Amino acid sequence: SQLTATKAGRQTVREKGTYLILRELHRWEREPAVLAACEKLVQVLIGDEPGPGMENLLEVSVPEEVEQQLRRLDREEEERREQEARSSTPCPEEPSR
């Protein structure tokens, strides 16, 4: 995601066909953290370019309350993914004696 912090970086990542690779990765990946990272990167790649003065996302000032809300939403999303992963993972069979 560091590569997509600047307008030039986002453009380069788009030009390399990264979206297609991420789409395929997302189809078979089961690790919740990897899925979340893929989805966030896709959102950056398919989203509109930020307005003037926001070309470098690392330099954008985010109000404290918005940052806290985003962190809370990230935690909730991570917990939801972990629950889904646990519920969809088959239990190993007990060894026969």
Side-chain angles (χ1 to χ4, degrees), residues 7-55:
K7 184 175 182 175
R10 289 187 294 278
Q11 185 175 6
T12 300
V13 171
R14 285 184 191 110
E15 290 171 356
K16 300 297 180 187
T18 304
Y19 173 77
L20 297 174
I21 295 167
L22 288 172
R23 186 179 67 192
E24 289 302 312
L25 174 61
H26 193 269
R27 286 184 182 173
W28 57 265
E29 181 59 55
R30 296 292 171 243
E31 181 64 36
V34 176
L35 285 169
C38 285
E39 290 171 6
K40 288 178 183 179
L41 184 52
V42 165
Q43 289 302 315
V44 171
L45 295 176
I46 66 173
D48 294 335
E49 272 299 313
M54 296 180 63
E55 291 87 357

Side-chain angles (χ1 to χ4, degrees), residues 75-86:
R75 281 192 308 273
E76 290 173 2
E77 179 69 14
E78 184 176 336
E79 289 169 3
R80 183 188 64 79
R81 286 184 184 283
E82 288 174 356
Q83 287 177 344
E84 287 176 358
R86 284 193 298 268

